[in-house]
Amino acid sequence: MKKAIIYIHGKGGNHLEAESYKKNCPGFDIIGLDYEVDFPWIVIDKIKNIYEDVKKEYEKIYIIANSIGAYFTMLSLQNYKIERALFISPILDMERLILDMMMWANVSEQELLEKGEISTDFGEVLSWEYLCFARKNKINWEVPTEILYAENDNLTSLETVNKFVKNHNANLTIMENGEHWFHTEEQISFLDNWMKKSINIDNPTQLAVQLNRFLKNI
């Protein structure tokens, strides 16, 4: 049975990152997706198109997504057949993130509405259009999902992650003292080990373990 993984990178990443994950996913072909802009209303079509192309050749499709790539994935493929998703430091609630960044930049909703876009000191551009999009397009994600979260993630709070896990078919692994971007030797080793376990849970023993973990979160 032919199995494929679609890899969707985070902001500033690229499809070549998928190469580093091949060693963790024996038996899978990994196809990376590139997108040039971070606007979901543009990226959605790219993700849907690559899914349709992959579906023509593979019987089972998995997802690995990093950071904002997880948000784009859920928006794009929530009504598509995905065997399992692996999310690394995922953005799970875009509205919450935008509101948090507005607070960090001391920007009110009225000010953002009037100006449309506001550049921040921390390098992000706040967008009223983006905020409205996030509010209008809610996530309904039912795909079995494994989440790797870093204790010191500065973009998504543990509260947000726990809320997502409680309300979705998801399991959570937390790396103590980890960061949003897994980049040190220790962090990458932790990520690799998590991915190897998460991608190979199709055997009965592992499925039973996952089911027990899910039931405890209900």
Side-chain angles (χ1 to χ4, degrees), residues 17-217:
E17 296 170 7
E19 294 295 316
S20 65
Y21 298 141
K22 283 187 175 180
K23 65 182 182 299
N24 302 331
C25 310
F28 290 84
D29 290 333
I30 301 184
I31 300 99
L33 168 73
D34 257 340
Y35 56 88
E36 297 77 29
V37 295
D38 296 319
F39 299 120
W41 47 89
I42 296 176
V43 180
I44 283 174
D45 287 339
K46 289 181 175 290
I47 294 176
K48 288 181 178 180
N49 288 339
I50 195 172
Y51 175 91
E52 294 296 342
D53 288 341
V54 172
K55 188 178 68 171
K56 295 173 184 176
E57 297 187 36
Y58 295 89
E59 297 168 88
K60 290 191 174 183
I61 299 176
Y62 291 62
I63 297 290
I64 296 176
N66 198 340
S67 190
I68 198 172
Y71 173 64
F72 292 157
T73 296
M74 292 189 291
L75 277 175
S76 307
L77 301 179
Q78 53 190 331
N79 296 317
Y80 290 68
K81 181 173 173 52
I82 304 294
E83 297 296 326
R84 182 172 297 111
L86 279 62
F87 289 168
I88 305 163
S89 298
I91 303 300
L92 300 170
D93 186 338
M94 180 56 72
E95 179 185 1
R96 179 70 268 159
L97 176 58
I98 294 173
L99 291 174
D100 285 344
M101 290 193 293
M102 289 169 61
M103 180 182 63
W104 301 338
N106 195 28
V107 172
S108 67
E109 287 199 30
Q110 183 61 35
E111 184 180 2
L112 189 58
L113 169 62
E114 293 172 355
K115 294 184 178 180
E117 290 187 351
I118 296 177
S119 297
T120 68
D121 293 338
F122 46 86
E124 298 292 339
V125 177
L126 300 172
S127 164
W128 178 254
E129 183 180 11
Y130 208 147
L131 177 58
C132 291
F133 179 92
R135 285 174 168 168
K136 181 180 179 180
N137 294 273
K138 300 299 183 182
I139 299 296
N140 181 28
W141 184 251
E142 300 300 333
V143 174
T145 300
E146 298 292 325
I147 295 174
L148 177 58
Y149 177 75
E151 182 181 32
N152 297 325
D153 193 313
N154 61 341
L155 293 181
T156 300
S157 70
L158 181 57
E159 179 183 3
T160 295
V161 175
N162 282 332
K163 181 180 178 181
F164 183 91
V165 170
K166 182 179 179 180
N167 295 327
H168 298 79
N169 184 6
N171 295 303
L172 174 62
T173 299
I174 300 175
M175 180 181 182
E176 294 183 1
N177 299 316
E179 301 168 83
H180 182 79
W181 295 111
F182 283 70
H183 64 283
T184 68
E185 183 176 344
E186 180 184 9
Q187 291 167 359
I188 292 173
S189 176
F190 192 98
L191 185 157
D192 286 342
N193 290 329
W194 165 81
M195 187 176 293
K196 289 173 184 176
K197 294 176 183 177
S198 299
I199 202 69
N200 294 304
I201 58 174
D202 286 329
N203 65 71
T205 300
Q206 287 289 348
L207 279 176
V209 171
Q210 292 299 107
L211 179 59
N212 288 333
R213 289 170 62 190
F214 174 63
L215 291 175
K216 288 178 181 178
N217 289 326

